[in-house]
Amino acid sequence: MKLSRKVWQSSVYKRLIIAFIIATIPIYILAGILYSWASNLLRQDIMDSAETQSENYLRELNDTISRFNSLQYDMLNDNYLNKLVNTYDILEPYRRIELIHFLRSKLVSMRNSSELIVDTRLYLPGIKVEISAVDGYGYLKDEDVPVAKLHDPYNVISYNNKLLIVAYPLESEFDTIPNIIIEMELRPSEIQRGFQAALKKDYSGALILGLGTNAENMYIINDEKLEEPIRKHYGRSLPSKQATVRQPPAKLDQTYIFTHSSLMDSSLYVDHYLYKPTMFKTISEYYKWFWLFFCMTILMVALYLYYINKIINKPMVKLVRAFKRIEEGNLELNIRHDKEDEFGYIYERFNEMLINLKISIDEVYNQRIHLQNAELKQLQSQINPHFLYNCLFSIIRLIKMEKDDEAVNFTNQLAKYFQFITRNSRDTVPLENEVAHARNYVMLQLARFSDRVSVEFEELPASLKPYSVPRLIIQPLVENAFVHGLENVLEGGILRVTFVDVPEHERLVIVVEDNGENSEEGLERLSALVMDEQNKQITQEITGILNVHKRLRYKYGPESGIKVGRSALGGVKIELIINPKAVTADVSNANRG
C-alpha cells in the first residue's frame, strides 16, 4: 500500500494536470480581464455617445433660442418702432397705420423664420397698442401684460400652458411695465418632436428636457413604471439655474443608467434614463459568446486530458502495476499494447526482460541448490580422523578386555554411523532418523567420556517424528559440545539435548547445551561467526556448525538457523531453529531433477 500511495503522489499524470491548470489559469484570468475591460469600455462609449448627442441637441436648441433673442433685440432697436412709440401722439393717423403694418410685417417675418414659433407679438403699453403676426393689431389691455411674464426676460417661460420668450429693453427705466415688450410663443409639439427625433433611442427609458427655471419640463417616457416616479421627482424639485447635476430617483438606480447633460451659462438641460437590458443587448451577446468560448475551452481541455490519460497515463499505470506484481514475486506476466508506439516498444522490451529475468533466477536458484548439495557432500566427507582413531582404539580395548558383546555392539553402532553419513540417496530425512543418528553418535562418544560426562538426551515427541529435515544437522552440534566444551572436563560433565515445539510461532527448536569450560571470548567469537556467514577465517571445527546454519536458512528462510548463547549449565547453548512452514527448496528433488 505504501508503494501505491507513493506512486500516486509522484504521478506524472497528476503533475501534468497541475502544470496544465497552472498554465491555463492565467489565460482565463487575462481573458476575463480583457472581457471586463472591453465591456466597460463599450458601456462607457454608449454613455458618452448618449451624453454627446444630448449636448449637441442642447447646443442646437440654445443656438435657436439665442437667434430668437437676437431677432427680439433687433426688433427692440428698430427705428420705426421707436418712432411709433415716441411720436405716436403727434403722428398723423395714416402714418400710425403705416408704421403698425410695417412692424407687423417684421413680426410675420420673425414668425416665419422657424417652425418652432407659433406667434410673435409686440406689446406697447405706453400707447395701448398690441400687434400680432397672426391676429393683426388692436387695443392693448392692462391685463394682457401681467408682471409674471417679465420675471425672466430672454429665457423660455411657461405661462397659461404656453411656452413664451419675452424680451424688453433691460436698460430702460420703468416702474412696473416697460414701454416695449416683444413676446414669442413657441410650439411645444414641434419642440417635443425635435427632441424625440434627436435623442430617443431603443434603450431610452425616459427623456426629460429642461427649458428653464420658469418653464415646464418636457417628458418622453417609454416605460410606464417610470411615469409616476419621474413626474413626482421633477415636479417636486426643479433644478436651479446654476444646477449642473441632478440625482435620479433612488429606486431606479439599479435598473437604469442616468446621464445628465447641460450647458454653461444656460438653464437648458437633458436628463436621460438608459434602460440597461436594452442598452447592453450587444454586450449581452458578447457575454454569451464569451461563456460559450469558456465552456468550449473547458470541454477541449477535458478531452485533451482524457486523450493524454488514454495514450500516456493508462499505459504508464499498467507498466507500474506490472513492476509492482514483479516485486510481489509474480513473474508470470505478459503485458500488451495495441499501438505501435513508444509504449509498444517498452512493453515488448519489458516482456523480454521478464523472460530473461526468469531464466536468470532459475540459473541462480539451481546454482544455489548445487552449492547446498556440494556443501552437504563436503560435510559428509569431513570424517574427523581423531574420532575414527578413538573408536578403533575403543574396539581394541574392549576386545583385549574380552568384552566381546560390547565390542560387537560398539562396532554395529560405528557401522550405522558411517552408513548414515555416507548415504547419498536422499538429502532429507525424517527428524526421527536424524535424532537417532545423533543419539548413536553420543553413544559412540560415551565410550571415551562415560566416566566423566553424563548425557541427558530427551525423547523426541511423537508429533515431531515425521518432520522432514536436512541430514546431519544435530550431530555437528553434539560433536562441537564434546570437542570444544567437554574435552577437558575431568568429571561432572553434562550434555543435554532437548526438543521444543512452538505451535503458535510455527517453529521447532532443538537445543544442545553443555557445562563445558568455554570462555566468554570463545562464545562471542562463535556467535559472531554464525552472524557473519562470509567470514573467511573459520576453523575446520566450526565449519560444520556454520554449514548447518546456512543449510537451514537456505531451506527454511532467514528466520531459521543457528543461535548461540550462554547455557544455564554454564557452557554453550546452541539453538537449532526450524520453521517447517517456510520451506523454500527441496534439495533432494532439485538434485535429482
Side-chain angles (χ1 to χ4, degrees):
M1 295 301 293
K2 291 183 179 179
L3 177 62
S4 300
R5 190 181 303 113
K6 183 177 180 181
V7 169
W8 170 244
Q9 290 175 351
S10 59
S11 170
V12 175
Y13 183 64
K14 181 179 179 181
R15 286 181 288 172
L16 180 63
I17 293 177
I18 294 175
F20 192 86
I21 292 175
I22 293 175
T24 54
I25 284 178
I27 297 176
Y28 283 114
I29 293 176
L30 180 61
I33 293 174
L34 291 176
Y35 170 77
S36 178
W37 173 78
S39 299
N40 293 333
L41 183 63
L42 184 57
R43 287 188 179 95
Q44 191 62 42
D45 287 344
I46 294 175
M47 293 174 61
D48 292 344
S49 175
E51 291 180 359
T52 300
Q53 290 177 352
S54 298
E55 291 175 359
N56 291 337
Y57 173 76
L58 288 176
R59 289 192 186 94
E60 182 180 351
L61 181 60
N62 187 62
D63 291 343
T64 300
I65 294 175
S66 297
R67 184 170 62 84
F68 292 166
N69 293 153
S70 297
L71 293 175
Q72 290 176 315
Y73 182 79
D74 291 341
M75 189 66 179
L76 290 175
N77 294 303
D78 185 80
N79 293 330
Y80 292 104
L81 175 59
N82 289 318
K83 183 177 181 180
L84 177 64
V85 172
N86 295 328
T87 62
Y88 184 82
D89 293 336
I90 62 175
L91 288 175
E92 296 292 334
Y94 77 92
R95 185 58 179 165
R96 295 176 184 172
I97 298 301
E98 182 181 9
L99 291 175
I100 290 173
H101 281 289
F102 177 78
L103 293 174
R104 181 173 181 269
S105 64
K106 293 194 68 173
L107 294 176
V108 171
S109 297
M110 292 172 61
R111 173 187 174 277
N112 294 334
S113 65
S114 175
E115 293 291 332
L116 298 180
I117 302 175
V118 177
D119 191 10
T120 306
R121 290 180 283 270
L122 178 62
Y123 299 113
L124 304 174
I127 59 176
K128 302 296 182 180
V129 174
E130 174 187 355
I131 305 173
S132 170
V134 176
D135 299 329
Y137 66 93
Y139 179 76
L140 177 64
K141 299 178 182 179
D142 292 338
E143 59 269 18
D144 290 337
V145 188
V147 178
K149 287 185 178 183
L150 307 178
H151 289 167
D152 194 8
Y154 294 97
N155 289 316
V156 180
I157 64 172
S158 295
Y159 184 79
N160 289 340
N161 296 323
K162 295 180 180 180
L163 289 179
L164 305 176
I165 300 178
V166 178
Y168 52 85
L170 299 179
E171 66 278 4
S172 62
E173 295 181 1
F174 58 90
D175 295 333
T176 55
I177 303 299
N179 289 329
I180 303 174
I181 300 172
I182 299 176
E183 177 184 277
M184 282 187 179
E185 181 182 351
L186 303 180
R187 184 175 285 111
S189 60
E190 190 65 24
I191 296 176
Q192 183 93 356
R193 186 191 65 79
F195 175 48
Q196 181 172 337
L199 299 181
K200 184 180 178 182
K201 306 296 180 184
D202 293 338
Y203 48 79
S204 297
L207 284 163
I208 296 89
L209 174 61
L211 295 173
T213 57
N214 295 304
E216 293 183 358
N217 296 325
M218 288 190 173
Y219 301 93
I220 300 176
I221 301 176
N222 297 326
D223 192 347
E224 294 181 356
K225 68 180 181 180
L226 296 178
E227 184 80 29
E228 181 180 354
I230 283 184
R231 290 189 181 276
K232 182 178 180 180
H233 181 69
Y234 284 89
R236 181 180 65 250
S237 56
L238 294 175
S240 65
K241 190 171 184 178
Q242 291 76 25
T244 58
V245 178
R246 171 191 285 273
Q247 295 299 325
K251 65 179 181 179
L252 300 179
D253 288 350
Q254 301 301 321
T255 309
Y256 293 86
I257 296 177
F258 170 75
T259 64
H260 176 83
S261 302
S262 60
L263 299 177
M264 296 292 294
D265 300 327
S266 174
S267 58
L268 299 176
Y269 70 89
V270 171
D271 285 348
H272 201 167
Y273 292 84
L274 309 174
Y275 186 52
K276 289 182 180 179
T278 306
M279 176 183 179
F280 300 135
K281 184 177 181 180
T282 304
I283 298 178
S284 299
E285 293 295 328
Y286 292 149
Y287 183 78
K288 294 177 182 177
W289 279 106
F290 172 79
W291 280 108
L292 179 61
F293 167 77
F294 181 81
C295 294
M296 288 298 296
T297 53
I298 291 294
L299 179 61
M300 294 301 295
V301 168
L303 292 176
Y304 172 76
L305 293 178
Y306 172 77
Y307 180 71
I308 292 297
N309 178 62
K310 183 177 180 181
I311 67 171
I312 296 180
N313 185 54
K314 285 187 176 180
M316 185 72 72
V317 171
K318 186 176 181 180
L319 187 61
V320 171
R321 289 176 178 172
F323 275 109
K324 189 174 185 300
R325 291 176 65 183
I326 291 177
E327 290 178 353
E328 294 172 351
N330 184 1
L331 302 181
E332 302 300 325
L333 293 177
N334 187 6
I335 56 177
R336 296 181 180 180
H337 191 65
D338 298 333
K339 297 180 175 58
E340 295 182 359
D341 54 11
E342 290 82 352
F343 279 105
Y345 175 80
I346 293 175
Y347 280 25
E348 184 178 353
R349 298 287 82 77
F350 175 86
N351 293 330
E352 292 181 1
M353 178 202 71
L354 196 57
I355 294 173
N356 295 332
L357 180 62
K358 288 191 289 185
I359 294 174
S360 299
I361 290 175
D362 290 340
E363 291 177 352
V364 172
Y365 178 77
N366 290 329
Q367 289 177 1
R368 193 174 76 172
I369 297 301
H370 292 313
L371 178 61
Q372 293 181 48
N373 292 333
E375 291 178 345
L376 178 59
K377 300 302 184 295
Q378 180 187 10
L379 183 63
Q380 292 172 342
S381 63
Q382 288 178 351
I383 301 175
N384 192 328
H386 296 289
F387 170 71
L388 179 59
Y389 298 155
N390 292 332
C391 289
L392 293 177
F393 288 146
S394 296
I395 294 173
I396 293 172
R397 187 176 70 252
L398 290 174
I399 294 174
K400 287 181 178 181
M401 295 174 63
E402 297 182 354
K403 295 181 179 181
D404 297 338
D405 293 337
E406 294 182 11
V408 171
N409 186 37
F410 188 87
T411 303
N412 287 333
Q413 290 176 338
L414 182 61
K416 290 179 180 179
Y417 170 80
F418 282 108
Q419 182 183 15
F420 187 87
I421 66 173
T422 58
R423 183 173 54 189
N424 294 321
S425 60
R426 293 190 61 188
D427 296 315
T428 59
V429 295
L431 181 58
E432 180 182 14
N433 295 350
E434 178 66 20
V435 172
H437 170 70
R439 191 187 298 274
N440 184 55
Y441 175 79
V442 170
M443 298 305 295
L444 292 174
Q445 288 285 19
L446 285 179
R448 293 179 54 228
F449 294 93
S450 60
D451 57 341
R452 47 197 177 103
V453 175
S454 62
V455 177
E456 300 175 7
F457 206 116
E458 186 180 71
E459 289 295 329
L460 179 66
S463 60
L464 302 179
K465 290 181 179 181
Y467 277 13
S468 178
V469 296
R471 296 171 64 237
L472 297 176
I473 59 173
I474 302 177
Q475 182 245 309
L477 308 185
V478 175
E479 181 180 359
N480 179 77
F482 277 110
V483 174
H484 295 283
L486 303 173
E487 179 72 28
N488 299 322
V489 175
L490 299 178
E491 61 180 4
I494 299 175
L495 172 66
R496 180 181 295 167
V497 180
T498 56
F499 305 93
V500 181
D501 186 13
V502 189
E504 61 272 16
H505 294 97
E506 296 183 344
R507 66 178 183 173
L508 165 66
V509 180
I510 302 174
V511 181
V512 178
E513 53 186 330
D514 61 71
N515 64 343
E517 298 178 352
N518 297 84
S519 64
E520 192 68 30
E521 180 181 353
L523 180 62
E524 292 178 357
R525 178 171 173 269
L526 178 59
S527 178
L529 290 174
V530 171
M531 297 297 294
D532 184 9
E533 301 176 16
Q534 306 300 324
N535 196 304
K536 303 299 182 182
Q537 299 178 352
I538 301 176
T539 62
Q540 183 176 358
E541 292 80 2
I542 300 177
T543 301
I545 297 177
L546 185 58
N547 186 288
V548 172
H549 176 67
K550 293 169 65 176
R551 288 164 58 215
L552 291 176
R553 289 171 64 88
Y554 286 153
K555 185 172 181 63
Y556 299 109
E559 294 183 358
S560 300
I562 297 296
K563 181 179 179 183
V564 180
R566 176 65 67 181
S567 171
L569 300 177
V572 175
K573 177 182 179 182
I574 298 179
E575 293 179 303
L576 190 152
I577 303 171
I578 298 176
N579 185 3
K581 300 294 184 180
V583 178
T584 59
D586 190 336
V587 176
S588 61
N589 293 340
N591 188 43
R592 287 196 301 271

